[in-house]
Amino acid sequence: MPDDISDQLFTIVEARRDELVELARQLIRFPTVNPPGEAYGPCAEFIGRRLEARGFTVEYVRAQGTPGDDDRYPRINMIARCEGARARPCVHFNGHIDVVETGGGWTVEPFAGVVSDGKLFGRGACDMKGGLAAAIIAVEALLDCGADLPGVLEISATVDEESGGYGGVHYLAQRGWFSPSRVDHVIIPEPLNVDRVCIGHRGVWWAEIETHGRIAHGSMPFLGDCAVRHMNAVIDRFERDLYPQLSQRNTAMPVVPAGARHPTLNINSLHGGQVEQTSGYPAPCVPDSCRMVIDRRLLIEESMPSVKAEVTDILDDLARTRAGFSYSIRDIFEVNPSMADRNGPVARMTAAAIRRVIGRDPEFICSPGTYDQKHIDRVGKLKECIAYGPGLLDLAHKPDEYVVIDDMVTSAKVMALAAWSLLHNAA
Ligand SMILES: [Zn+2]
């Protein structure tokens, strides 16, 4: 890429440092807390109005009928499109506008957008309104650099990422918005740090296992059958058989932290017997039910059916060998792993842009948890998707969440240059 264009883009972005901070502050001031999905419409329209003024064609898509969508909390998504000389290639930046609840422990007002010590504080500062603001400034810098736009630039501001993305990217992907027939490359500015290219994420399976028993008086447990003891047998088999197997299994995915380069299994919750009470004495009963929610994270090398079979094989074996054992299992949520080609254009050109802006080789990583890439890959059928953006994932969802202002500026330069390269590469 010619240095003059890079320098020109960097100068434009640098000149907009204050505007970038102000834009991110304005986004933070919309309390887009999910659940329930507060202020989605006003936040989406704020971004849409700004881009419309810059010549983008803006569309709003309400995800009718998706979880949580009603007239009080409509799931409003915004897609903005700016066409250049040709309809392809199309480079798309996608950011989610929803944030998680604030929780306790804040020392600053979470929705004020406080700036202090070179950092911008607030719920969503890092995850991911700082990144979305940087992407918007990057795209505007491209339009202002005077060079012809050979292809198409798109920005979407979507909702419900924190609750699975069904009212956001999933809904749009189902309706073709991320189809390879209209989009070529997607960058999601999730907070994965300015010198890392995230090419994918592990998968997820949540399920609830229930063991069944028979209620009886607690003074004569031999007259009943204790569901908690049956569940203990399940956990014992997990400890002896399943956990050792999982820790032996490795992945080619460059997941960070490295501890997540194995499949993991968390026991999210466990409850047996009577409903917990805060006052009075419980009645003496043998529990006839025990329920456990598990959270299994999958590697790209694993298949969903084999992951499920590992658990049900243990349960079926107990049903054969343990007197009185019976169980049921219910799927709650599942997501397949996703990984883009690190030698594909979007990963390669973003890496090259990082080298040019920061002066060192980027790290290619995968995320231990998931984000909206799953829907773009698995539903939209578009593999050319990565996450790249400012901020540290460790700060996401915490009190006093912040993004370093220099990092927002750096990532805006990287995104501008990466988009420029992608538009000209295929032109
Ligand atoms: Zn996020």
Side-chain angles (χ1 to χ4, degrees):
M1 66 206 69
D3 277 354
D4 52 333
I5 277 289
S6 312
D7 290 338
Q8 206 183 332
L9 283 173
F10 300 166
T11 306
I12 297 171
V13 171
E14 197 61 64
R16 299 207 167 163
R17 167 182 289 261
D18 292 345
E19 193 186 337
L20 169 53
V21 174
E22 194 49 38
L23 174 58
R25 297 181 77 190
Q26 285 170 314
L27 295 179
I28 289 168
R29 288 188 190 125
F30 292 98
T32 47
V33 176
N34 174 27
E38 198 67 61
Y40 283 175
C43 186
E45 282 158 24
F46 168 80
I47 300 167
R49 274 196 304 275
R50 179 185 175 108
L51 293 170
E52 215 158 21
R54 293 303 319 261
F56 281 76
T57 307
V58 173
E59 287 188 65
Y60 297 97
V61 178
R62 176 172 167 184
Q64 294 272 6
T66 56
D69 176 73
D70 57 27
D71 289 342
R72 170 72 184 87
Y73 300 110
R75 278 29 209 177
I76 309 275
N77 298 281
M78 190 273 335
I79 306 105
R81 179 177 173 91
C82 183
E83 292 189 5
R86 283 181 290 277
R88 306 300 286 265
C90 173
V91 178
H92 184 117
F93 290 92
N94 164 256
H96 68 84
I97 57 171
D98 59 316
V99 298
V100 295
E101 62 171 327
T102 53
W106 286 76
T107 63
V108 295
E109 214 287 288
F111 297 110
V114 174
V115 173
S116 161
D117 199 19
K119 298 167 184 162
L120 169 61
F121 290 85
R123 175 53 85 226
C126 131
D127 185 11
M128 57 179 283
K129 289 171 171 173
L132 180 55
I136 292 169
I137 294 294
V139 165
E140 290 177 353
L142 273 172
L143 298 182
D144 289 346
C145 80
D148 288 338
L149 196 62
V152 177
L153 284 168
E154 284 190 344
I155 300 184
S156 57
T158 52
V159 302
D160 283 357
E161 190 275 343
E162 299 290 1
S163 54
Y166 296 100
V169 171
H170 183 265
Y171 189 88
L172 295 179
Q174 276 184 325
R175 282 153 186 80
W177 289 93
F178 292 100
S179 157
S181 66
R182 64 181 297 285
V183 178
D184 296 281
H185 316 283
V186 178
I187 296 176
I188 304 177
E190 285 278 3
L192 294 152
N193 216 356
V194 289
D195 56 357
R196 307 199 295 189
V197 177
C198 182
I199 53 175
H201 56 70
R202 300 191 301 173
V204 183
W205 175 48
W206 289 350
E208 184 185 71
I209 299 167
E210 180 172 7
T211 51
H212 307 293
R214 209 170 57 251
I215 194 164
H217 198 288
S219 68
M220 297 168 287
F222 47 86
L223 296 182
D225 190 7
C226 180
V228 172
R229 291 182 61 189
H230 287 311
M231 189 62 87
N232 178 60
V234 175
I235 295 173
D236 181 54
R237 288 289 299 273
F238 282 3
E239 295 291 349
R240 285 190 292 121
D241 302 338
L242 190 54
Y243 280 115
Q245 279 177 37
L246 300 186
S247 64
Q248 293 299 311
R249 210 172 289 160
N250 294 300
T251 181
M253 299 176 94
V255 189
V256 289
R261 284 181 198 170
H262 312 286
T264 52
L265 175 67
N266 183 48
I267 296 176
N268 277 14
S269 65
L270 180 65
H271 182 80
Q274 294 164 44
V275 175
E276 283 175 292
Q277 54 190 81
T278 49
S279 64
Y281 289 109
C285 286
V286 175
D288 60 353
S289 160
C290 184
R291 286 174 292 111
M292 175 166 77
V293 173
I294 58 171
D295 176 351
R296 171 74 156 81
R297 302 293 169 136
L298 295 61
L299 310 176
I300 198 90
E301 294 85 354
E302 297 181 303
S303 76
M304 192 65 75
S306 72
V307 161
K308 291 182 178 183
E310 268 177 353
V311 170
T312 53
D313 284 353
I314 287 174
L315 296 169
D316 289 338
D317 189 48
L318 284 168
R320 274 192 302 273
T321 57
R322 182 179 166 88
F325 185 93
S326 74
Y327 77 95
S328 47
I329 187 164
R330 179 172 68 88
D331 290 331
I332 299 174
F333 179 64
E334 60 186 77
V335 165
N336 281 302
S338 175
M339 188 162 73
D341 179 3
R342 72 172 76 188
N343 297 312
V346 71
R348 209 161 21 88
M349 306 250 170
T350 305
I354 292 170
R355 256 177 236 115
R356 176 73 177 79
V357 174
I358 304 178
R360 60 173 183 268
D361 280 336
E363 193 185 350
F364 287 98
I365 61 162
C366 282
S367 167
T370 82
Y371 53 92
D372 278 333
Q373 183 166 340
K374 56 186 176 259
H375 301 311
I376 291 166
D377 169 5
R378 302 280 180 168
V379 182
K381 308 291 179 206
L382 180 60
K383 292 277 174 200
E384 260 284 290
C385 176
I386 58 154
Y388 170 78
L392 299 170
L393 200 54
D394 304 10
L395 301 173
H397 300 197
K398 290 200 173 154
D400 288 351
E401 174 182 346
Y402 67 84
V403 62
V404 173
I405 290 168
D406 280 345
D407 287 350
M408 278 201 291
V409 175
T410 300
S411 73
K413 291 177 187 172
V414 170
M415 286 189 257
L417 184 55
W420 191 91
S421 308
L422 287 164
L423 287 172
H424 287 80
N425 174 51

